[in-house]
Amino acid sequence: MIQTLQRAHLNCRVVLVLMLFGSLLAVNGCADAESSESRMDATVRGSETVDYCEVPATSSNVIAVRPSADDPPIDDVNWFARPVPHSGSDRILAFASHDQNELYNITTGARIRIPDRSDAVATPDGRYMTVPSTYTPDSNIRFYPIAEMLERLAAGEDADDIEPVFIHEHAAMKRVYYQSTGIVSRVGVGATEVTTYRLMLSGTSDESKFRIVDYRFTHDSATEELLSVEPSAPMALCPTVTNDLNTPFISKDAQYVAAYTSEHAESSYTPGASLKIFRITSIDPERGTTSCAPVVDLGFTAGKADFSFDGSMLTFHVSQGGYLTPFVNGGLEPGTITDVVVARLDRDEAGLIRGVHGVQRLTTSLEAGVGSYFPAFFPDGSLFYIANSVPKDSDAQKRFHFRVLDPDQGVWRDREILGDDVRPQWRTIASMWEKACFAENPELAAQPFPMDAHEAPWLGLSLSAGQCHALVDETREASGSNVTSETIDWAALGRACESLGS
C-alpha cells in the first residue's frame, strides 16, 4: 500500500504519456484525492496491495548459488557452462574462466582445473568430457575420462594434466568451436558394451555449416576398459535448419536439434524467425549428409537451447536489445538483457515430440548489460544458468554466479499467450508498464527499453494476473476521457491479463 501511495503522489507531480500504436494516451497525473483513491482501489485484491512495478527476479526460490559469499569470486566466464552427470547427489558443472576449463562442484564449492581452454561438455552418461578443436593444443577434438576428474575434484587436486582417451584427427573438424552431445545407443555385443555418442559441432572459421559425428566406443563389459573408438565421417547438419546464427543444440537422446531459424541471414531481428525443434530422420556418413524434419515451431526467437535429460523440457534464454545473443564471453554487452525461459514438450504415444504445452519465464532482469543466460539442465530436472552482475564494459568488478532453479516450483502458462494474435495487447501493456513504472525503475528510460513489439509478450510471463489487471485498471481509471485518438480495446487487454491465470 505504501508503494502504491508513493506512486499516486508522484503522479500528482508529473504527466504520464503513453504511446500506444500511434495513439497518444494522456494521463493527467495531477489527480485529486478521489481519483488517487480509486487507483489505489484498483491495485488492491482482497487485503493485499498489488505492486505491478515490482516483478520478481526469479519465478521460484533459487535452490543453489555459487560462488557463495565465502567462496573465491568468479570474475570471468567464457561462453557457456554445462552439467557433469555422475552417480552422486552433488551438482557439478564444467565452465571456463580466463581461457581455462574448470570442474566446479556447486554443492560444496570445490573447483579444479581440467584440460584445455573452453567448452568442456560431458557426454550425457557422464563418462567422457569432450572439448572442441578450437580450444585444444593440437586443434583436434578430444575426449577425456570424467571418472579421473571427479577423483581429483574430491581430493582438491587440479586435473589439467589428464591425458585424453581419444583424439579425433580430421581435416574437416579443425577449429570447431562449440558442441553438444547425445547418446544414440548402448548395446551389449558379446563380452563388450558398445556406446555410440553423437556430437554436433559448430562450423569452422572456414565453413559455417554444423557437422554431426557418431563415435562408436567399445568397452570391455567386465572391466569397463576402453577397447576402441570408431568415428563416422563428419556429416553436415540437415539443410532444413536454415540461417541458424550458431544456435543449434542436440538432445540427450541424439534424435532432435533445437535451433533458431530464419528465411533471412541477417543478424538483426527478422519477423517470422523462430526457435524450432527438428527430428533427425536419417544420416548418411558416406555422403556426409543428414536429413531432418521440423516438428515444433515455438514461434519466437531465442538463443542456444538445452534439452532436459528425460526429454520433457527445453530451456533457452531470450534477449532484449541484443536480439539472440548467441555468444556471451565475459558478460553481456551494454544495451542487452537476457533472461531464462523453459518450455514443456508434448510427446505422442510413440514418444515423438509433437508440440509445447507450457512455458515459464524463470528470470527477469531490468538492468542493461545484466542478465541470466545459457541455461542447462541437471539430470534431476533442475537447471542452472550464468548470471552476471555488471555489464561487460563496466569499470566495476566483474562478478558471475551459477544459480539453480527447479522449473516445477514455478507457474506454467499456456504457450498461446506468446502468440502473434495477442502480441498487440502485450505491446500495449508493456508500454503502460514502462511508463507507469519509470519512477521506480529509472533504467526503463534507457536502451534496451522501450521493448520492441516481439519482446513485449515476455513481460506477460513476468507479471501475475493480479499485477496485469491492476496495471490495466489503474491506467484506464487515470486516463478517463483523455484518449485523443483511437479507443483502447480495454476488454482485449483484460483478456490478455486473464490468460496469465490466477
Side-chain angles (χ1 to χ4, degrees):
M1 181 67 76
I2 291 174
Q3 291 173 322
T4 305
L5 282 167
Q6 289 173 335
R7 188 158 57 245
H9 288 312
L10 180 64
N11 285 344
C12 291
R13 298 193 296 272
V14 299
V15 173
L16 184 63
V17 179
L18 302 179
M19 294 299 298
L20 305 175
F21 305 113
S23 300
L24 184 64
L25 177 59
V27 180
N28 183 0
C30 298
D32 56 21
E34 182 179 353
S35 60
S36 293
E37 211 171 82
S38 63
R39 285 201 304 276
M40 284 187 286
D41 289 342
T43 61
V44 176
R45 294 294 185 268
S47 60
E48 294 185 3
T49 300
V50 179
D51 183 358
Y52 48 73
C53 292
E54 190 68 29
V55 293
T58 60
S59 63
S60 59
N61 292 332
V62 176
I63 57 180
V65 60
R66 287 286 177 178
S68 68
D70 298 327
D71 294 333
I74 295 175
D75 63 0
D76 179 55
V77 174
N78 305 133
W79 317 114
F80 57 64
R82 280 297 177 265
V84 179
H86 63 106
S87 58
S89 59
D90 290 356
R91 292 186 171 95
I92 298 175
L93 57 86
F95 78 106
S97 181
H98 297 288
D99 296 321
Q100 174 62 56
N101 280 327
E102 298 189 25
L103 205 61
Y104 195 7
N105 186 327
I106 63 171
T107 301
T108 67
R111 285 168 58 186
I112 61 169
R113 294 159 60 101
I114 59 175
D116 302 328
R117 294 186 293 114
S118 194
D119 288 4
V121 178
T123 54
D125 57 4
R127 202 167 201 168
Y128 296 108
M129 188 72 76
T130 68
V131 181
S133 54
T134 292
Y135 304 113
T136 64
D138 56 2
S139 297
N140 292 311
I141 297 164
R142 293 185 165 205
F143 288 73
Y144 296 90
I146 288 180
E148 187 174 351
M149 293 182 183
L150 294 175
E151 290 174 2
R152 299 276 195 96
L153 180 65
E157 301 172 354
D158 285 332
D160 50 341
D161 60 345
I162 288 178
E163 293 295 324
V165 297
F166 178 68
I167 297 176
H168 186 198
E169 299 184 38
H170 195 290
M173 304 304 291
K174 301 284 187 180
R175 298 186 301 279
V176 294
Y177 50 85
Y178 91 81
Q179 82 283 28
S180 50
T181 65
I183 297 178
V184 178
S185 62
R186 178 179 287 114
V187 296
V189 180
T192 66
E193 177 192 79
V194 179
T195 302
T196 301
Y197 298 103
R198 177 169 291 166
L199 268 62
M200 184 174 69
L201 303 110
S202 74
T204 70
S205 58
D206 302 317
E207 193 173 350
S208 61
K209 286 186 177 180
F210 275 68
R211 293 166 173 79
I212 287 174
V213 179
D214 284 353
Y215 295 88
R216 181 184 168 96
F217 276 65
T218 301
H219 297 88
D220 184 288
S221 297
T223 66
E224 298 189 1
E225 177 187 357
L226 178 61
L227 303 176
S228 66
V229 180
E230 303 169 59
S232 72
M235 298 168 280
L237 179 61
C238 43
T240 317
V241 184
T242 58
N243 301 318
D244 54 65
L245 284 185
N246 293 289
T247 60
F249 257 82
I250 201 167
S251 61
K252 306 298 188 296
D253 63 5
Q255 293 189 54
Y256 295 92
V257 173
Y260 154 90
T261 63
S262 172
E263 295 181 358
H264 306 282
E266 292 88 355
S267 59
S268 59
Y269 173 72
T270 303
S274 66
L275 177 66
K276 295 181 181 179
I277 299 175
F278 302 83
R279 186 166 66 88
I280 301 172
T281 54
S282 66
I283 63 170
D284 190 338
E286 291 187 5
R287 290 184 173 85
T289 62
T290 61
S291 298
C292 299
V295 294
V296 175
D297 184 347
L298 279 82
F300 48 77
T301 57
K304 289 182 174 69
D306 185 51
F307 290 87
S308 62
F309 280 76
D310 66 0
S312 66
M313 292 181 284
L314 185 75
T315 187
F316 44 88
H317 69 242
V318 293
S319 183
Q320 184 181 331
Y323 184 35
L324 290 173
T325 316
F327 299 113
V328 184
N329 186 21
L332 296 174
E333 300 292 340
T336 299
I337 292 174
T338 54
D339 277 304
V340 175
V341 177
V342 65
R344 276 177 169 163
L345 302 176
D346 275 328
R347 290 181 179 261
D348 62 17
E349 293 181 355
L352 300 178
I353 296 175
R354 293 303 185 204
V356 171
H357 72 275
V359 291
Q360 184 181 164
R361 182 174 181 171
L362 298 179
T363 71
T364 299
S365 307
L366 299 179
E367 185 178 348
V370 174
S372 305
Y373 52 92
F374 292 155
F377 284 99
F378 284 113
D380 66 0
S382 63
L383 60 80
F384 73 93
Y385 55 90
I386 304 168
N388 69 314
S389 60
V390 298
K392 185 175 182 177
D393 69 343
S394 172
D395 292 332
Q397 287 185 322
K398 306 300 187 297
R399 291 292 183 264
F400 296 84
H401 291 85
F402 298 103
R403 294 180 181 145
V404 182
L405 293 175
D406 181 357
D408 287 336
Q409 293 182 3
V411 178
W412 292 93
R413 296 196 168 103
D414 196 297
R415 153 75 185 84
E416 298 306 315
I417 75 170
L418 298 171
D420 290 340
D421 55 332
V422 292
R423 183 172 291 180
Q425 285 77 47
W426 288 121
R427 182 69 191 100
T428 301
I429 290 169
S431 296
M432 290 177 174
W433 184 84
E434 287 168 338
K435 300 298 182 181
C437 298
F438 167 76
E440 294 184 23
N441 301 294
E443 59 270 23
L444 300 183
Q447 290 184 336
F449 295 96
M451 301 175 204
D452 287 342
H454 72 278
E455 298 167 346
W458 295 109
L459 175 67
L461 272 74
S462 296
L463 298 173
S464 67
Q467 286 176 311
C468 185
H469 281 299
L471 170 64
V472 171
D473 291 349
E474 183 175 310
T475 305
R476 184 177 189 180
E477 183 70 22
S479 68
S481 60
N482 292 324
V483 178
T484 60
S485 185
E486 62 183 271
T487 302
I488 302 301
D489 189 343
W490 299 104
L493 299 186
R495 288 193 295 273
C497 293
E498 203 66 34
S499 70
L500 296 174
S502 57

